[in-house]
Amino acid sequence: MDKNVIRQRLLELRSSLKETAVHSASRCIVESLLGLEQWKNAGEVLLYWPIRNEVDIRPLLTEALSSDKKLFMPCCRRDEPGIMDFGVVRAEKDLISGSFGIKEPCRSRCEFPDAVSPDLILVPGVGFDRNGFRIGFGGGYYDRFLARPQKDGFLSVGICYSFQIVDGFPHEPWDQPVELICTDKELIWRN
Ligand code: ADP
Ligand code: MG
């Protein structure tokens, strides 16, 4: 089926979720992630700010900030659609409102290293298949980032609700799969 059709349908389903459903599923997902060895061992993590009923992983931001993990968050380039830079966030006050209503690291306050290669990368998605392939908002942001050289042994984790696991959409040459998907019902490792 066409990626755009699936994207639209999944976005509608997600926007119709009640706050309580978002909260309880998000809680399950956060607990699963906190239990992963790869979370416990990660020195550097890349997390996202949830928008439009995306899985609310904000407790992980708090957790990362209060531990000795180095927290990176993405910042979309205004003048170059599809490209993100990654800033080091040391406190919640380092975040400001950015593109698409996403809170992002403030460019004047945060460090933006040239080479960013976190141990653990959380990837929000509109849909995923069981091989880790992803449908995003259609901008190719994470495809571009994941195509860059990454640290040996890094783990990319797709984050979504169980209803967002769909099969049968086409993969395009630039699509980058994630290694693991974490939903409120299961962990799905890529074969
Ligand atoms: P999404 O992954 O957000 O669902 P798509 O996979 O449809 O979006 O990609 C959107 C656009 O991004 C495509 O037009 C594609 O050409 C472009 N794109 C993705 N990855 C790269 C890349 N590594 N280099 C250049 N363009 C890319
Ligand atoms: Mg893609």
Side-chain angles (χ1 to χ4, degrees), residues 134-154:
R134 167 178 178 272
I135 301 177
F137 280 120
Y141 283 87
Y142 280 90
D143 288 327
R144 283 188 188 78
F145 172 55
L146 292 172
R148 280 164 40 175
Q150 302 291 340
K151 188 179 278 175
D152 283 345
F154 86 103

Side-chain angles (χ1 to χ4, degrees), residues 80-116:
E80 279 176 284
I83 313 272
M84 298 186 286
D85 298 307
F86 301 90
V88 180
V89 179
R90 303 204 182 274
E92 225 178 305
K93 67 171 172 29
D94 290 344
L95 298 173
I96 57 167
S97 291
S99 320
F100 313 113
I102 302 172
K103 281 208 190 183
E104 59 183 31
C106 173
R107 287 194 186 262
S108 59
R109 265 208 303 269
C110 298
E111 180 199 353
F112 280 75
D114 289 334
V116 172

Side-chain angles (χ1 to χ4, degrees), residues 139-177:
Y141 283 87
Y142 280 90
D143 288 327
R144 283 188 188 78
F145 172 55
L146 292 172
R148 280 164 40 175
Q150 302 291 340
K151 188 179 278 175
D152 283 345
F154 86 103
L155 182 68
S156 52
V157 188
I159 307 293
C160 68
Y161 304 100
S162 48
F163 73 83
Q164 290 172 287
I165 302 294
V166 286
D167 277 305
F169 60 83
H171 308 152
E172 291 166 292
W174 57 81
D175 282 325
Q176 300 289 327

Side-chain angles (χ1 to χ4, degrees), residues 45-111:
V45 295
L46 169 63
L47 305 182
Y48 66 88
W49 184 268
I51 54 164
R52 302 197 224 167
N53 272 357
E54 278 174 343
V55 175
D56 186 358
I57 54 131
R58 286 177 299 169
L60 295 177
L61 299 180
T62 312
E63 178 65 25
L65 287 173
S66 63
S67 69
D68 52 9
K69 293 190 193 307
K70 190 170 196 176
L71 169 62
F72 289 95
M73 290 182 74
C75 189
C76 296
R77 284 196 195 163
R78 300 277 185 280
D79 47 351
E80 279 176 284
I83 313 272
M84 298 186 286
D85 298 307
F86 301 90
V88 180
V89 179
R90 303 204 182 274
E92 225 178 305
K93 67 171 172 29
D94 290 344
L95 298 173
I96 57 167
S97 291
S99 320
F100 313 113
I102 302 172
K103 281 208 190 183
E104 59 183 31
C106 173
R107 287 194 186 262
S108 59
R109 265 208 303 269
C110 298
E111 180 199 353

